[in-house]
Amino acid sequence: VLNNSCKYRSVVIRLSNVYGNYKKTELDDSSYLKLMIRHALQKAKLKVSQSLGSSKDYIYVEDAMQGLVLAAIYSTKNDIYNIASGHSFCLKEWLDYLQLSYLAESQGLAGHCHISIEKAKKELGFSPLKTMSNLKFHELVCMDKQNII
């Protein structure tokens, strides 16, 4: 519960699925996107047991940082902000974007997620710049000599 009698401001930031600028050592199985990126880099076939239509909102790491900074600077009261891209992308869109070879196993129910960022846009001037439509693969993974798989 946000306490309005406190002389300090409390701002809660709800981040969606943050991605981007991964190092090789970070491409583990802790998220499905990391797993897909690792398989794409290794040119390995991925067994997909989730619904290809399931969607989530993803936010590029630099856009997430912009949202955090804007909230720290411009929020004037105790509040909660969603910092996300405002667009949901389904598993099939990521598989196609990554040009990933996959084998679809069982198809469960598709889950969908839409996160509104209108409040952050209006009150903070937040405007995410990266979406899948303008994302370059090298922005997903740091491709220096130490990070090549």
Side-chain angles (χ1 to χ4, degrees):
V1 177
L2 299 176
N3 183 352
N4 290 325
S5 64
C6 181
K7 62 182 176 180
Y8 299 104
R9 202 171 26 129
S10 297
V11 179
V12 176
I13 303 300
R14 296 177 60 214
L15 295 170
S16 68
N17 300 283
V18 180
Y19 72 93
N21 287 330
Y22 293 121
K23 294 180 181 172
K24 171 185 157 184
T25 56
E26 296 173 318
L27 294 175
D28 54 23
D29 295 352
S30 63
S31 80
Y32 211 69
L33 182 56
K34 288 180 180 182
L35 178 70
M36 289 189 294
I37 294 168
R38 189 179 77 230
H39 274 72
L41 288 170
Q42 295 172 339
K43 301 199 183 319
K45 193 170 205 167
L46 178 68
K47 289 183 183 178
V48 178
S49 58
Q50 299 180 17
S51 171
L52 296 177
S54 290
S55 64
K56 294 181 182 180
D57 187 307
Y58 293 86
I59 185 165
Y60 189 65
V61 64
E62 291 177 12
D63 288 335
M65 293 302 299
Q66 175 207 27
L68 292 169
V69 170
L70 289 172
I73 294 171
Y74 295 114
S75 59
T76 59
K77 60 187 188 294
N78 294 337
D79 219 333
I80 300 172
Y81 295 97
N82 291 330
I83 300 298
S85 71
H87 302 282
S88 293
F89 297 98
C90 70
L91 180 57
K92 176 78 167 92
E93 289 172 304
W94 277 110
L95 292 167
D96 291 346
Y97 172 80
L98 295 169
Q99 299 176 356
L100 189 55
S101 175
Y102 64 93
L103 171 64
E105 292 182 335
S106 64
Q107 291 292 311
L109 294 175
H112 301 285
C113 175
H114 173 73
I115 299 174
S116 174
I117 60 171
E118 294 308 310
K119 182 177 170 183
K121 283 181 168 183
K122 180 181 173 186
E123 295 181 15
L124 306 176
F126 175 67
S127 180
L129 301 175
K130 290 284 178 199
T131 64
M132 192 182 300
S133 62
N134 64 4
L135 180 68
K136 306 288 187 251
F137 188 78
H138 72 272
E139 294 169 315
L140 285 173
V141 183
C142 298
M143 295 301 289
D144 60 29
K145 290 180 183 177
Q146 296 173 336
N147 287 311
I148 295 175
I149 293 180

